């Protein structure tokens, strides 16, 4: 679909808008008067053309830095003095490209993961992944949870090939440290004590971040349950997912045998499963 | 240009497809007020929701739907970028249309501006060179959008901090030509007129009087922040007196038109916003 008219002149306009976009997202004010002259920006009675463009540039950085700070408050706290520089580098590497500011930081976890551990400690990386999961789940599309009565009549052989669909408002996180507790402590202003506890006894956690009744929650689960959920998320049929999870360690199979029914009931109750597809 | 007279004479001249109800005074739907709105059910004409904030589910969509059950809800977009290099995104328009149907929006609006280039979205509302070619491009897009949405569609005049020497017409002429050529409505933001008039050394009254009043579907009123050399459209309240004066003149020219109070910086508790809306009600009377 094209509704354009006026070819050459509009191409010139678009070239001006593209150059202006570059100037506005630049970390520093432009020093190139020639470039400004080419854009044809006029001065006002009180401001030069450069100062006028710089209003937009400053607004760009303020708006997006504020947005990231609001979305990743705990990561910001953990990175402390390094945060402004991380934000500047992130926005330069990944300029905003989506309509909603809510998605601005969706690439921040991967960006931090690519930085040296001396710049971004593991705790901050994990926290960033957790906060990003919270953002993603917050307004993920609504889905009705599985109605248990829908699967009551399924025959055992149907369960073998069943595919359990996880809700779009569920994220699975394998973290090096239990940062969800630290996040809660930070929100309550008890960060230093929680950080000391983490430093004294770090441990890996398997976490599910999910939305239920409009709230966003996190819940730690057993590694075996996590492995099974991960297989299901990839679309693996239930029987195969159980077999793959059982093969992960000698302890897995008896755990699965003992707890599968209970896990399924809990996951259904918490709204993690949206439907069961029978081929 | 001499002031046109007779409040409301332009309502009779409005194109039939742009006839919309006067909903009185409304406020912007903002997150800190969700619970108070549902609990207190304040007396208000309507709410305006930022469309892009409600495309997903969860808490935002829940509250939008509940509040739209009790109040008229109009939708206002901030990301269309109708004057930019890219043609309108049909997927975005489909989602917008679905949302409008969900809340039974009587009209939709976005801004007469551009928002980025290439894959970059600046999340700002930027001014365009005011030329006949740009008018034609935007008008063609706006007409297509209104047809697609099957609802009255209005473009809002934005505030701006820079201007182009290549502009061949005044801003009010530019706005008028776009909405006339597209046969769409105008969302008249009186604060944006005040801000742009100061920033570009223009006469705010001349700006206001030069617009096509018969196409005004809705009015926006808000506050701003004065930096001495320039004014930024911050939507901080309460509404400054010169903007309120401009609003009175706008109402005189357009007649009774749905008016929205925008308060987006240092958002106070709902009663304070409602008290400010009451001031607008007084100014509109």
């Amino acid at each position: 679909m094209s509704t354009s008219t006026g070819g050459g002149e509009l191409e010139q306009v678009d070239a001006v808008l593209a150059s202006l976009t570059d100037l506005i997202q630049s970390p520093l004010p432009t020093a190139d008067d020639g470039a400004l002259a080419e854009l044809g920006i006029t001065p006002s009675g009180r401001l030069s053309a450069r100062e006028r463009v710089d209003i937009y540039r400053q607004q760009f950085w303020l708006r997006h830095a504020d947005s990231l700070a609001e979305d990743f408050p705990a990561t910001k706290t953990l990175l402390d003095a390094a945060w402004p520089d991380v934000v500047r580098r992130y926005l330069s590497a990944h300029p905003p490209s989506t309509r909603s500011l809510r998605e601005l930081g969706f690439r921040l976890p991967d960006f931090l993961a690519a930085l040296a551990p001396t710049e971004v400690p593991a705790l901050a990386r994990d926290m960033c992944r957790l906060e990003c999961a919270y953002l993603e789940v917050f307004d993920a599309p609504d889905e009705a949870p599985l109605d248990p009565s829908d699967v009551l009549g399924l025959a055992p052989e149907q369960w073998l090939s069943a595919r359990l669909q996880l809700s779009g408002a569920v994220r699975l996180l394998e973290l090096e440290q239990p940062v969800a507790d630290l996040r809660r402590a930070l929100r309550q202003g008890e960060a230093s004590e929680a950080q000391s506890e983490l430093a004294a006894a770090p441990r890996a956690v398997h976490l599910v971040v999910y939305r239920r009744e409009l709230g966003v929650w996190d819940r730690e689960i057993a590694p075996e349950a996590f492995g099974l959920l991960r297989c299901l998320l990839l679309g693996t049929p239930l029987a195969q997912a159980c077999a793959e999870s059982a093969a992960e360690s000698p302890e897995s199979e008896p755990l699965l045998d003992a707890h599968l029914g209970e896990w399924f009931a809990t996951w259904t109750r918490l709204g993690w499963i949206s439907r069961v597809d029978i081929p | 240009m001499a002031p046109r007279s007779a409040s409301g004479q332009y309502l009779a001249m409005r194109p039939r497809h742009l006839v919309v109800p006067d909903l009185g005074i409304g406020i912007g739907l903002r997150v800190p007020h969700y619970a108070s709105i549902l609990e207190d059910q304040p007396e208000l004409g309507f709410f305006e929701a930022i469309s892009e904030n409600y495309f997903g589910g969860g808490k935002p969509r829940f509250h939008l739907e509940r509040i739209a059950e009790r109040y008229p809800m109009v939708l206002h977009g901030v990301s269309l970028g109708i004057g930019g290099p890219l043609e309108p995104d049909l997927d975005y328009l489909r989602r917008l249309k679905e949302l409008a149907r969900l809340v039974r929006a009587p009209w939709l609006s976005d801004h007469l501006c551009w928002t980025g280039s290439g894959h970059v979205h600046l999340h700002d509302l930027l001014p365009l060179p005011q030329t006949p070619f740009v008018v034609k491009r935007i008008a063609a897009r706006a007409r297509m959008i209104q047809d697609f949405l099957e609802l009255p569609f209005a473009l809002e005049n934005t505030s701006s901090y820079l201007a182009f020497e290549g502009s061949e017409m005044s801003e009010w002429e530019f706005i008028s030509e776009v909405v006339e050529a597209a046969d769409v409505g105008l969302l008249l933001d009186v604060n944006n007129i005040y801000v742009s008039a100061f920033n570009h050394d223009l006469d705010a009254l001349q700006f206001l009087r030069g617009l096509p009043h018969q196409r005004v579907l809705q009015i926006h009123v808000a506050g701003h922040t004065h930096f001495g050399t320039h004014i930024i459209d911050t939507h901080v309240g309460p509404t400054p007196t010169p903007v309120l004066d401009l609003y009175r003149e706008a109402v005189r020219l357009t007649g009774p038109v749905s008016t929205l109070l925008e308060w987006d910086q240092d958002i106070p508790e709902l009663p304070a916003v409602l008290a400010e809306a009451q001031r607008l009600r007084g100014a509109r009377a």
Side-chain angles (χ1 to χ4, degrees):
Chain A
M1 174 188 59
S2 174
T3 52
S4 292
T5 51
E9 188 150 338
L10 287 175
E11 281 177 16
Q12 286 179 18
V13 168
D14 291 343
V16 166
L17 304 190
S19 299
L20 204 43
T21 299
D22 291 342
L23 291 179
I24 288 170
Q25 59 177 330
S26 165
L28 296 171
T30 180
D32 186 352
D33 284 333
L36 282 170
E38 273 184 32
L39 292 178
I41 309 293
T42 58
S44 72
R46 295 167 296 275
L47 295 174
S48 67
R50 184 203 308 251
E51 289 168 324
R52 299 183 96 182
V53 172
D54 207 46
I55 292 172
Y56 286 99
R57 193 192 65 79
Q58 289 180 37
Q59 295 279 318
F60 173 88
W61 287 96
L62 281 173
R63 180 182 309 113
H64 293 107
D66 283 354
S67 179
L68 289 172
E70 189 177 324
D71 287 346
F72 296 89
T75 309
K76 176 176 181 280
T77 300
L78 294 177
L79 286 177
D80 196 21
W83 172 257
D85 187 54
V86 164
V87 165
R88 184 187 58 74
R89 289 157 66 191
Y90 174 68
L91 289 174
S92 296
H94 301 290
S97 59
T98 58
R99 294 178 181 278
S100 171
L101 277 173
R102 196 169 284 144
E103 295 157 38
L104 181 66
F106 280 9
R107 297 167 85 175
L108 189 59
D110 288 343
F111 179 77
L112 294 191
L115 298 180
T118 47
E119 278 193 278
V120 181
L123 201 59
R125 289 167 204 251
D126 275 357
M127 186 62 82
C128 187
R129 290 179 62 207
L130 176 67
E131 292 193 308
C132 192
Y134 260 72
L135 287 172
E136 290 175 356
V137 163
F138 172 72
D139 69 344
D142 292 327
E143 279 178 275
L146 175 69
D147 181 347
S149 65
D150 289 349
V151 292
L152 278 179
L154 289 184
E157 62 273 19
Q158 286 181 296
W159 277 110
L160 293 177
S161 58
R163 290 177 198 271
L164 276 60
Q165 300 293 326
L166 296 195
S167 162
V170 166
R171 294 292 181 279
L172 307 179
L173 294 177
E174 204 169 356
L175 303 170
E176 291 178 35
Q177 304 197 54
V179 288
D181 294 336
L182 176 59
R183 177 178 176 273
R184 278 182 278 276
L186 284 167
R187 287 163 72 93
Q188 290 164 9
E190 299 161 359
S192 55
E193 191 180 331
Q195 267 181 281
S196 304
E197 282 175 19
L198 268 185
R203 64 181 178 88
V205 293
H206 295 84
L207 207 65
V208 179
V209 176
Y210 63 103
R211 191 175 76 222
R212 186 174 179 230
E213 293 173 355
L214 303 182
V216 180
W217 312 88
D218 57 72
R219 186 182 179 103
E220 190 175 344
I221 59 173
E224 292 77 11
F226 187 89
L228 182 55
L229 277 173
R230 190 165 48 193
C231 286
L232 297 173
L233 188 66
L234 294 172
T236 311
L238 182 60
Q240 188 185 335
C242 288
E244 286 179 16
S245 301
E248 283 186 6
S249 73
E251 299 83 24
S252 293
E253 189 166 359
L255 260 173
L256 278 165
D257 286 346
H259 295 290
L260 185 59
E262 169 200 329
W263 288 346
F264 183 74
T266 302
W267 300 347
T268 304
R269 179 173 55 80
L270 296 177
W272 297 358
I273 299 171
S274 59
R275 64 174 200 276
V276 175
D277 292 337
I278 308 295
Chain B
M1 179 187 284
R4 293 170 182 169
S5 60
S7 164
Q9 68 168 318
Y10 292 105
L11 287 177
M13 296 161 58
R14 183 179 293 179
R16 281 184 64 185
H17 67 280
L18 295 178
V19 172
V20 296
D22 168 25
L23 301 175
I25 303 291
I27 65 171
L29 181 61
R30 302 295 181 258
V31 177
H33 300 151
Y34 284 163
S36 301
I37 293 166
L38 290 175
E39 279 170 30
D40 304 341
Q41 298 184 37
E43 195 177 319
L44 265 177
F46 69 107
F47 282 92
E48 181 192 82
I50 302 297
S51 317
E52 291 84 352
N53 291 348
Y54 298 93
F55 282 171
K59 199 177 276 187
R61 179 66 77 94
F62 172 85
H63 286 96
L64 179 76
E65 291 183 27
R66 297 294 90 70
I67 293 167
E69 285 169 4
R70 298 166 192 262
Y71 297 91
M73 184 72 67
V74 301
L75 294 178
H76 184 52
V78 293
S79 70
L80 183 60
I82 195 168
L86 298 178
E87 292 297 321
D89 175 353
L90 279 182
D91 181 54
Y92 166 73
L93 293 177
R94 279 192 199 99
R95 296 172 77 185
L96 187 59
K97 191 171 182 175
E98 283 172 21
L99 192 65
R101 283 185 174 157
L102 181 76
V103 301
R104 300 173 303 283
W107 66 85
L108 297 129
S109 61
D110 206 298
H111 300 82
L112 181 42
C113 69
W114 63 286
T115 54
S117 179
H119 296 296
V120 178
H121 207 300
L122 297 168
H123 297 116
D124 207 338
L125 310 167
L126 294 113
L128 287 149
Q130 293 149 8
T131 72
F133 281 121
V134 176
V135 167
K136 278 185 193 169
R137 170 152 81 175
I138 298 175
R141 290 173 177 175
R143 183 182 285 270
M144 182 280 288
I145 289 167
Q146 183 168 257
D147 289 346
F148 182 88
L149 295 173
E150 298 180 290
L151 276 174
F153 177 63
L155 285 170
E156 176 183 344
N157 59 296
T158 59
S159 52
S160 60
Y161 318 116
L162 63 77
F164 298 92
E165 63 187 11
S167 289
E168 298 171 31
M169 59 187 87
S170 69
E171 189 169 350
W172 53 90
E173 288 168 334
F174 179 68
I175 295 165
S176 302
E177 291 204 12
V178 167
V179 296
E180 293 286 357
D183 205 4
V184 298
L186 172 62
L187 196 169
L188 173 62
D189 190 314
V190 291
N191 180 56
N192 286 348
I193 289 181
Y194 185 83
V195 169
S196 288
F198 181 86
N199 290 339
H200 303 303
D201 307 308
L202 303 171
D203 179 338
L205 277 176
Q206 186 186 13
F207 191 144
L208 173 61
R209 289 168 182 161
L211 293 170
H213 308 116
Q214 73 278 12
R215 290 188 177 273
V216 177
L217 306 189
Q218 184 185 342
I219 296 177
H220 272 179
V221 180
H224 54 247
T225 304
H226 207 308
F227 291 89
T229 53
H230 60 283
I231 301 177
I232 301 272
D233 174 31
T234 52
H235 291 185
V236 69
T239 312
T241 301
V243 175
L244 215 50
D245 290 343
L246 211 53
Y247 173 59
R248 286 192 186 91
E249 176 65 4
V251 171
R252 194 184 72 78
L253 292 166
T254 62
V257 170
S258 308
T259 299
L260 183 97
L261 170 69
E262 296 180 294
W263 196 326
D264 291 303
Q265 184 173 306
D266 304 328
I267 301 175
E269 299 283 317
L270 184 62
V273 180
L274 294 175
E276 183 62 7
Q278 184 61 32
R279 279 180 78 213
L280 293 189
R281 205 171 279 125
R284 199 179 102 126

